[in-house]
Amino acid sequence: MAVERRKGLAVGVGRRDLLAGAGAALMLAGCAVNGEGGRHGGAPEAARSPLALTPIRATPDRITRITVCTRPFRAQGPRLEVERIGQKLVVHHYGHGGSGWSLSWGTGLVATEKAMALGERDVAVIGCGAIGLTTALQLQRAGAKVTIYAKDLPPDTRSSFATGVWSPDSRICLEQYATPAFKALWARMCLTSFQAYQSLLGLPGTPIEWVDNYNVADRKDHEEEEKPDNRPPFADSLRHDLLPDLTPHSAEVPAGLHPFGARLVRRNTNMVFNISSYARLLLDEFHANGGRIEVREFHTPADFAGVAQKVLVNCTGYGARALMGDTSIIPVRGQLARMIPQEDVHYGLFYNGVSFVPRRDGFVFQAVGPDDYYGYNDDSIEPDRPLAEQSVRIIAGLFPPPAFG
Ligand SMILES: Cc1cc2nc3c(=O)[nH]c(=O)nc-3n(C[C@H](O)[C@H](O)[C@H](O)COP(=O)(O)OP(=O)(O)OC[C@H]3O[C@@H](n4cnc5c(N)ncnc54)[C@H](O)[C@@H]3O)c2cc1C
């Protein structure tokens, strides 16, 4: 998703997709473009009939909640290493930026391998977000008895406030740290997670589903010149560079076949995580496997001495910054406006810097800013209601005004 304009369009378009989209846009607008062809530059989608998209009832009065959360970003990527703290062996497993849900099964497998290699079969997991829950399940599947200790449980963890789309390379590290070894690890984690998600399709409550998304652009967007940016770039093209064929290719939707008038439209297809039912499914499996949860807060690493288990997996996400004194974790703020869902709307949109995700557990509208630095180093969690309403109005602007109401 990188629910980020440059890279992910909460709807899961990569930066390269956008560039390809921009190229296609220029061609449509009659400008000369050096043809790039290749993956995304081919012929327009061979649609036979126009897209019938039910209009979204996007009005601010339908906003049910505004949530804010901080992505746990580390320039060097997630911390995945074993440390002895007093009598305990701690597998650190935190710092997944904007990719935590997406990579969780793959990164959880790596953490599980590290924990199981320590020879204990009674393991503590600290944290009950996306990372803690999936790691706990994988430890159980590997034969461990697992207890989760956490201050907050779903639906009150930061993970519960994520957009909920497949975005495995969103703010995962800075480009300069994407070494060959990191890339190999990332590709393994990404593939493992992708396959895990395919096994969660079609289940009751629709925890995971594939959804078509439309990247809609006003033609003038592509006439704007990009300003030079001297900040270190994020490694935001791992998917494109390493696993270009993992998900369906994006395609141009020709004018006349979409309901957005003269605007330029590209379709891509991405996974959506309906986090409420998905987190419930994970918790249910954890309990069914005999897992136990204890609500507990750790104030310093010395508090780890208070748990019975010798091996702990530290999945505290952004909380690790205070708990471990780890200032390598940088907050990247993001805000969602949640809205009453509509049964008949099952497509996503990206338009004018706003991402719309048709989550069944509440529609998501999100201003994604101009790049991955949007919200960077901002740990404020105060909701911004005017921004939420503006995001809703921008998406509403794609549809004719409602006849009533
Ligand atoms: C706005 C936004 C949108 C996002 N969208 C997506 C997306 O679409 N797709 C995606 O893949 N990722 C997305 N992310 C990123 C994703 O949400 C994070 O990477 C992920 O939530 C990290 O999970 P976690 O389990 O490490 O952390 P958390 O969810 O924060 O869980 C940490 C757990 O540890 C516990 N804990 C912390 N400190 C302590 C302590 N001292 N003592 C006891 N317990 C403690 C907490 O209570 C909690 O249970 C998004 C993030 C944001 C902010």
Side-chain angles (χ1 to χ4, degrees):
M1 102 180 150
V3 180
E4 359 291 3
R5 181 184 173 91
R6 182 167 67 105
K7 121 181 227 141
L9 315 190
V11 292
V13 181
R15 181 164 61 96
R16 305 295 174 97
D17 300 272
L18 274 183
L19 296 177
L26 287 168
M27 282 197 263
L28 266 181
C31 304
V33 171
N34 287 331
E36 215 185 41
R39 186 186 161 205
H40 303 293
E45 182 185 4
R48 293 279 176 271
S49 52
L51 274 174
L53 300 179
T54 302
I56 302 164
R57 292 167 67 189
T59 53
D61 60 309
R62 289 174 66 83
I63 295 175
T64 53
R65 192 176 186 191
I66 302 171
T67 61
V68 178
C69 111
T70 44
R71 300 169 183 86
F73 171 71
R74 293 182 82 235
Q76 53 279 73
R79 185 173 182 202
L80 263 165
E81 60 195 19
V82 181
E83 183 185 12
R84 174 176 283 281
I85 298 179
Q87 299 300 307
K88 307 294 180 184
L89 293 170
V90 180
V91 180
H92 294 297
H93 187 203
Y94 60 78
H96 296 77
S99 306
W101 281 107
S102 306
L103 282 182
S104 57
W105 293 101
T107 184
L109 184 61
V110 176
T112 295
E113 289 167 353
K114 288 187 186 298
M116 295 305 278
L118 298 172
E120 296 286 326
R121 291 295 173 268
D122 188 4
V123 179
V125 169
I126 317 294
C128 197
I131 300 299
L133 271 171
T134 46
T135 304
L137 282 177
Q138 281 167 301
L139 283 163
Q140 288 178 326
R141 292 174 190 178
K145 178 182 165 204
V146 183
T147 306
I148 293 178
Y149 299 88
K151 181 161 58 86
D152 307 295
L153 308 179
D156 299 321
T157 60
R158 284 186 166 81
S159 294
S160 300
F161 304 141
T163 315
V165 297
W166 172 250
S167 59
D169 55 1
S170 166
R171 302 180 180 88
I172 191 63
C173 71
L174 289 181
E175 184 72 53
Q176 66 202 78
Y177 292 101
T179 59
F182 180 85
K183 287 180 177 174
L185 176 68
W186 178 87
R188 178 181 174 225
M189 298 192 304
C190 184
L191 282 170
T192 303
S193 253
F194 183 83
Q195 290 310 335
Y197 279 119
Q198 304 323 298
S199 73
L200 294 168
L201 294 167
L203 296 178
T206 321
I208 311 298
E209 61 186 322
W210 284 95
V211 168
D212 283 345
N213 306 284
Y214 299 95
N215 177 21
V216 183
D218 294 321
R219 284 164 196 257
K220 65 180 171 52
D221 283 1
H222 300 293
E223 290 160 13
E224 289 166 9
E225 274 186 27
E226 281 202 19
K227 295 190 183 78
D229 187 347
N230 298 323
R231 296 170 299 185
F234 289 78
D236 65 356
S237 61
L238 294 174
R239 259 188 292 177
H240 179 272
D241 296 345
L242 303 177
L243 300 169
D245 296 320
L246 191 61
T247 52
H249 299 177
S250 73
E252 170 200 328
V253 183
L257 290 180
H258 61 71
F260 303 118
R263 296 183 181 97
L264 308 161
V265 177
R266 277 192 91 76
R267 185 198 64 191
N268 74 90
T269 307
N270 197 24
M271 269 188 286
V272 166
F273 312 142
N274 291 302
I275 292 176
S276 300
S277 55
Y278 178 39
R280 206 164 276 240
L281 177 126
L282 298 175
L283 280 166
D284 286 351
E285 184 179 333
F286 177 71
H287 287 302
N289 291 343
R292 212 171 59 79
I293 296 183
E294 190 176 313
V295 174
R296 188 190 289 204
E297 180 167 4
F298 300 84
H299 299 282
T300 73
D303 291 348
F304 292 155
V307 307
Q309 293 78 8
K310 184 174 177 200
V311 169
L312 292 76
V313 188
N314 175 15
C315 307
T316 48
Y318 185 70
R321 186 178 158 98
L323 176 62
M324 306 305 300
D326 185 348
T327 53
S328 72
I329 299 182
I330 309 290
V332 186
R333 183 187 197 274
Q335 169 175 295
L336 313 186
R338 306 299 302 276
M339 186 176 281
I340 302 168
Q342 281 167 254
E343 276 300 316
D344 48 353
V345 171
H346 292 298
Y347 61 89
L349 290 170
F350 181 83
Y351 177 58
N352 236 343
V354 176
S355 147
F356 162 74
V357 182
R359 291 244 311 263
R360 291 175 192 245
D361 52 0
F363 283 175
V364 169
F365 295 78
Q366 185 178 8
V368 299
D371 54 44
D372 284 349
Y373 275 96
Y374 186 68
Y376 188 84
N377 211 7
D378 181 352
D379 64 358
S380 64
I381 51 167
E382 272 304 300
D384 181 343
R385 174 97 200 172
L387 179 69
E389 294 197 1
Q390 185 193 29
S391 305
V392 168
R393 288 199 181 93
I394 284 174
I395 293 297
L398 286 172
F399 300 96
F404 64 93

